[in-house]
Amino acid sequence: LGDLDALDLAVSALLPMEDLFLALRFAKQHLGARPVFVSRRAQGFADDILIRADKDPDGAGLAVIAEHFGIELKPLDGLEAKAERNLMALCPEADEGSLAIASRLSELGASVVWVSTFTNAATSAATVSLPASSPFERGGTYLNADAIAQEGRKVLSAPGQARSPWIQLRNVARVAKLADGFPATRAEVQELLFTEVPALAGLDRSS
């Protein structure tokens, strides 16, 4: 990770709350007051009745967690690539903007740690590329537009060295000797999430 003062963190609004909670907690503990960059799906049509403009599975959950930690969220495609800035990205969308940022940082000699389910131009350009399990291989909790916590269940085993994004974050933190306080299991992460974030404590978790 190098100098933490030169590290930017990016997350995806498609990730479950467990991964987002640990990522933003890591940012709060080690990156200070800097913004966290967010990769999102393109927003779409909304009719204010059934169709939501927010196409991200966990945009609502990310907003609640960011507010809890007092972290400003900025779009990843607005990150300015600089040689003196490094980046760790947890499963960003493989859109043109995200891929261009990874490639540009690499060209400038910056360190890029890219965690991704799929191989793409960013994983090829990254200094370190780590495989992430897919949503079907990890499960997780999402906050829907009606403030109901919905749990996705693991139905497949992840192949090879693919791991949940939060586990890959923990692995990188261990190498940097910053892993103190990381939970050991997703169940422990979930317990921390719902006890430490007051806005989530009383949520309906029956779904």
Side-chain angles (χ1 to χ4, degrees):
L1 293 179
D3 181 5
L4 291 179
D5 289 335
L7 179 67
D8 290 314
L9 178 68
V11 299
S12 169
L14 279 68
L15 290 174
M17 288 195 289
E18 291 86 350
D19 298 76
L20 295 171
F21 170 74
L22 283 187
L24 268 62
R25 189 176 76 159
F26 176 87
K28 183 68 173 181
Q29 291 174 340
H30 300 294
L31 306 184
R34 292 201 300 282
V36 168
F37 293 89
V38 182
S39 169
R40 300 181 184 274
R41 286 178 173 166
Q43 302 304 282
F45 169 78
D47 65 4
D48 296 326
I49 300 175
L50 295 175
I51 302 175
R52 310 286 183 174
D54 186 353
K55 305 306 178 186
D56 297 318
D58 210 13
L62 174 59
V64 168
I65 295 167
E67 183 177 3
H68 168 69
F69 286 115
I71 291 176
E72 181 184 4
L73 301 175
K74 290 188 173 183
L76 178 56
D77 58 12
L79 186 152
E80 183 179 357
K82 298 180 180 179
E84 65 272 17
R85 302 299 304 175
N86 302 320
L87 175 67
M88 180 168 184
L90 299 181
C91 295
E93 286 286 273
D95 55 35
E96 184 176 340
S98 299
L99 301 182
I101 287 168
S103 297
R104 181 59 178 154
L105 284 169
S106 179
E107 291 170 359
L108 292 171
S111 296
V112 178
V113 179
W114 203 270
V115 180
S116 178
T117 304
F118 304 103
T119 300
N120 51 47
T123 59
S124 299
T127 313
V128 177
S129 175
L130 299 173
S133 52
S134 75
F136 304 105
E137 297 161 348
R138 61 176 180 254
T141 311
Y142 300 83
L143 187 65
N144 72 12
D146 296 315
I148 297 175
Q150 297 181 305
E151 187 168 356
R153 302 190 183 280
K154 175 180 176 180
V155 295
L156 297 170
S157 296
Q161 295 181 322
R163 300 290 184 271
S164 293
W166 75 267
I167 292 178
Q168 295 294 28
L169 172 62
R170 185 184 66 188
N171 291 341
V172 172
R174 280 177 174 169
V175 173
K177 303 187 185 307
L178 298 171
D180 289 347
F182 265 85
T185 66
R186 180 170 289 279
E188 292 178 13
V189 181
Q190 191 177 71
E191 186 63 26
L192 282 174
L193 169 69
F194 283 99
T195 56
E196 290 191 11
V197 182
L200 300 177
L203 282 184
D204 180 356
R205 298 168 60 185
S206 60
S207 297

